[in-house]
């Protein structure tokens, strides 16, 4: 899980726990369960529930998802959800968990919506900032861009956006893992 809130949290955790070695291995969300299950990772952070039933899975964060667009001279600022979804492509598939259900709902209300699948949130944000489309993204992933006025939240009319959950996965919960999980929960 790549997120703008993770680096500052890691820094704070490492500052408080300088005796714990931290190794980061970034893999696709669907592979994190395999990494933890095989013992190649002691702990995994993911936005999808793993298929491995023997792993300990705990929700550590729940956040809203928003429809966001580029803040190009305030142009999108005054446009409604219905207008944006007609004028811009909806960038999909950038989050591993919620798109199947969300896209069905969008197409139910806006059957003529045009889509573009992009499998990474960072690329999605760049495309949105360039005016190539709009997308539904977790607030933690766009908070900095919204504060910098590069992206704006588009208020919902018909679509009820889902929440995005972050899970921590462990197979054997070590003292270091428990310490990190507790720190994570307290910090989020």
């Amino acid at each position: 899980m790549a997120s703008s809130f993770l680096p500052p949290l890691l820094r704070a955790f490492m500052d408080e726990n300088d005796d714990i070695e931290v190794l980061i291995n970034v893999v696709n969300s669907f592979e994190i369960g395999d990494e933890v299950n095989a013992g190649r990772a002691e702990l995994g952070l993911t936005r999808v529930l793993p298929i491995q039933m023997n792993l300990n899975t705990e929700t550590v964060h729940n956040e809203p998802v928003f429809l966001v667009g580029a803040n190009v001279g305030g142009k999108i600022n005054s446009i409604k959800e219905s207008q944006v979804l007609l004028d811009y492509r909806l960038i999909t598939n950038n989050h591993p968990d919620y798109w199947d259900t969300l896209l069905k709902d969008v197409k139910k209300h806006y059957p003529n919506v045009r889509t573009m699948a992009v499998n990474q949130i960072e690329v999605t944000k760049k495309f949105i900032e360039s005016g190539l489309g709009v997308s539904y993204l977790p607030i933690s992933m766009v908070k900095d861009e919204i504060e910098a006025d590069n992206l704006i939240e588009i208020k919902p009319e018909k679509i009820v956006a889902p929440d995005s959950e972050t899970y921590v996965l462990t197979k054997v919960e070590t003292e270091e893992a428990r310490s990190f999980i507790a720190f994570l929960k307290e910090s989020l």
Side-chain angles (χ1 to χ4, degrees):
M1 169 191 86
S3 180
S4 59
F5 66 79
L6 195 53
L9 285 178
L10 277 175
R11 176 173 304 186
F13 178 77
M14 290 187 297
D15 286 348
E16 287 184 20
N17 300 276
D18 59 1
D19 58 323
I20 296 176
E21 182 179 18
V22 177
L23 303 171
I24 307 294
N25 181 21
V26 179
V27 297
N28 181 296
S29 292
F30 296 104
E31 298 170 5
I32 294 173
D34 286 336
E35 293 293 304
V36 173
N37 195 44
R40 292 186 294 270
E42 186 174 322
L43 176 142
L45 290 173
T46 181
R47 291 192 185 257
V48 293
L49 286 169
I51 59 171
Q52 297 80 6
M53 300 305 290
N54 62 320
L55 296 179
N56 301 315
T57 304
E58 189 174 346
T59 302
V60 291
H61 187 61
N62 186 302
E63 64 183 319
V65 171
F66 294 128
L67 177 60
V68 295
N71 189 11
V72 183
K75 181 180 171 193
I76 282 184
N77 232 348
S78 60
I79 299 177
K80 297 180 179 184
E81 169 190 277
S82 54
Q83 191 64 47
V84 169
L85 291 173
L86 287 175
D87 292 347
Y88 293 90
R89 288 191 183 275
L90 178 61
I91 302 173
T92 65
N93 293 24
N94 45 35
H95 189 281
D97 200 33
Y98 57 71
W99 272 108
D100 289 341
T101 305
L102 178 58
L103 190 54
K104 285 178 188 169
D105 191 34
V106 170
K107 286 185 175 186
K108 180 178 101 181
H109 293 287
Y110 304 104
N112 296 324
V113 68
R114 296 170 299 145
T115 62
M116 175 174 41
V118 175
N119 67 0
Q120 292 188 7
I121 288 180
E122 292 303 318
V123 174
T124 298
K125 291 191 301 187
K126 292 297 179 197
F127 281 10
I128 295 169
E129 288 176 2
S130 298
L132 292 175
V134 296
S135 191
Y136 289 90
L137 296 171
I139 186 61
S140 67
M141 299 306 299
V142 293
K143 182 178 180 245
D144 293 342
E145 291 81 359
I146 289 173
E147 287 176 1
D149 285 330
N150 295 332
L151 297 179
I152 55 127
E153 176 188 354
I154 299 164
K155 300 295 181 197
E157 292 176 79
K158 297 178 181 178
I159 306 301
V160 177
D163 282 343
S164 173
E165 293 187 331
T166 302
Y167 307 98
V168 64
L169 311 178
T170 55
K171 188 171 183 178
V172 176
E173 198 170 287
T174 64
E175 183 58 38
E176 292 87 356
R178 276 191 293 280
S179 178
F180 180 73
I181 294 167
F183 181 86
L184 195 59
K185 285 179 168 180
E186 184 179 304
S187 300
L188 298 174

